[in-house]
Amino acid sequence: MNLLFAIDNHVVDQLLTTLYSIVMNTPNQTLNVYVIQKNKLKKTDKIESFCKKMNIRYHPLVLKNALLGDVPVTNRYPETIYYRLLAQDYLPKTIDRILYLDVDILAINDLSPLYRLDLGHFLYAAASHSALTNNVTEPLNKLRLGNYEAESYYNSGVLLFNLTAIRKQVKKVDIVNYISRNKLSLFLPDQDVLNGLYGHQIKKIPDELYNFDARRSPLYYALSNGKWDLDWVIQHTVVLHFCGRDKPWKKDYHNRYAGLYKHYAYRAKRI
């Protein structure tokens, strides 16, 4: 199983927590973990030691030069978030698929069914949280991003890559030009670029299974008429995503799943 992350020095511990959750809940898999980084991470020794103990194959992808020139960045959205858009240019040509994950994620059940998903002609597979917002923002996003063929607006925190198809169709020049034309309209920069250029070539996967927004547990409960309760999530949800500004590694985080995250973080730290 090939996994992809793109991080800077601020979230190394979070990466290890995510990896620990995957190893614990996705059995019988050899994990090849590719980590895109602008410069060699300061805690590389820590990552390598952790991966060795967990039988993970760690592959750092150090990209020293700026990839996309002048792109919108903030403290919340550093330059590294754009790197996943060009991952196919830096990954080994011998692999045909890879699963990208944000590091504010826990994998609490087996990732294998998602990883083996038949992508057909689609470039990517991803989940949309549109049902949680009653589809109110869908027309606005299509207008804002100029992609009227897209079925939905997709969250880029969990993204399965069809690398064979992507290498043929996704080009750096198209991404650079799109950013240049739409810079003032990009609210969630890399995610907007993904949806604006390739939203119509993304296979939709159920977010309640593969990108459960931890902030919105009551909405999932309501949408499912009470089916998707805490017990259901623990048994069926694969990817629990701590979206938004509040993060579970912070002491003042009190979301329903705070204890679950802190447990995995503690166990990873012990490794």
Side-chain angles (χ1 to χ4, degrees), residues 88-106:
Q88 61 279 356
D89 294 340
Y90 303 97
L91 289 164
K93 303 302 181 185
T94 53
I95 64 176
D96 60 4
R97 71 171 50 206
I98 197 165
L99 178 62
Y100 170 84
L101 298 171
D102 280 348
V103 292
D104 56 352
I105 274 173
L106 289 179

Side-chain angles (χ1 to χ4, degrees), residues 132-151:
L132 301 178
T133 57
N134 295 318
N135 295 312
V136 171
T137 60
E138 290 292 319
L140 294 176
N141 282 324
K142 290 182 180 182
L143 178 64
R144 179 171 64 86
L145 301 175
N147 190 342
Y148 302 97
E149 299 177 29
E151 179 183 351

Side-chain angles (χ1 to χ4, degrees), residues 1 61 72 76 118 128 139 159 179 199 201 205 225 232 235 268:
M1 182 179 289
L61 300 175
R76 188 179 175 196
D118 182 6
S128 169
L159 200 60
I179 293 173
Q201 294 175 281
I205 56 177
N225 294 318
W232 187 93
Q235 294 173 30

Side-chain angles (χ1 to χ4, degrees), residues 5 15-16 19-20 23 31-35 43-60 268 271:
F5 300 87
L15 166 67
L16 302 187
L19 289 178
Y20 178 82
V23 172
L31 300 183
N32 286 288
V33 173
Y34 296 85
V35 180
K43 295 182 179 179
T44 293
D45 289 347
K46 182 176 185 178
I47 298 172
E48 290 176 342
S49 175
F50 178 91
C51 288
K52 184 177 180 180
K53 291 177 181 177
M54 300 297 289
N55 284 325
I56 296 171
R57 297 173 181 174
Y58 173 59
H59 307 274
I271 300 295

Side-chain angles (χ1 to χ4, degrees), residues 71-265:
V71 294
V73 296
T74 65
N75 288 336
R76 188 179 175 196
Y77 301 113
E79 187 180 352
T80 50
I81 65 172
Y82 293 96
Y83 293 173
R84 79 190 98 174
L85 299 175
L86 297 174
Q88 61 279 356
D89 294 340
Y90 303 97
L91 289 164
K93 303 302 181 185
T94 53
I95 64 176
D96 60 4
R97 71 171 50 206
I98 197 165
L99 178 62
Y100 170 84
L101 298 171
D102 280 348
V103 292
D104 56 352
I105 274 173
L106 289 179
I108 60 175
N109 279 297
D110 193 348
L111 276 174
S112 299
L114 171 60
Y115 188 80
R116 293 195 300 263
L117 183 70
D118 182 6
L119 287 169
H121 65 280
F122 290 98
L123 300 181
Y124 306 95
S128 169
H129 293 143
S130 58
L132 301 178
T133 57
N134 295 318
N135 295 312
V136 171
T137 60
E138 290 292 319
L140 294 176
N141 282 324
K142 290 182 180 182
L143 178 64
R144 179 171 64 86
L145 301 175
N147 190 342
Y148 302 97
E149 299 177 29
E151 179 183 351
S152 191
Y153 180 83
Y154 297 96
N155 181 277
S156 59
V158 180
L159 200 60
L160 183 63
F161 286 60
N162 180 352
L163 288 171
T164 303
I166 289 171
R167 289 187 183 108
K168 296 176 182 177
Q169 297 186 52
V170 178
K171 305 300 179 184
K172 177 179 176 179
V173 63
D174 296 332
I175 295 171
V176 171
N177 289 339
Y178 183 86
I179 293 173
S180 178
R181 292 195 310 268
N182 299 279
K183 189 179 297 185
L184 297 179
S185 303
L186 303 179
F187 300 152
L188 300 170
D190 67 310
Q191 187 167 284
D192 282 350
V193 174
L194 178 74
N195 280 276
L197 282 174
Y198 309 111
H200 59 294
Q201 294 175 281
I202 297 177
K203 184 169 186 173
K204 193 172 186 178
I205 56 177
D207 55 307
E208 68 272 14
L209 293 178
Y210 298 121
N211 200 329
F212 189 101
D213 187 339
R215 299 170 298 181
R216 294 169 170 170
S217 186
L219 278 175
Y220 283 108
Y221 185 81
L223 286 169
S224 66
N225 294 318
K227 177 183 177 183
W228 300 338
D229 58 8
L230 180 60
D231 288 332
W232 187 93
V233 170
I234 296 299
Q235 294 173 30
H236 297 95
T237 292
V238 177
V239 175
L240 189 60
H241 193 176
F242 296 88
C243 303
R245 293 181 180 276
D246 295 331
K247 297 301 182 186
W249 50 85
K250 297 180 179 179
K251 287 189 176 182
D252 59 351
Y253 184 83
H254 300 296
N255 178 279
R256 178 178 219 172
Y257 301 99
L260 182 62
Y261 185 89
K262 292 180 187 300
H263 169 74
Y264 277 99

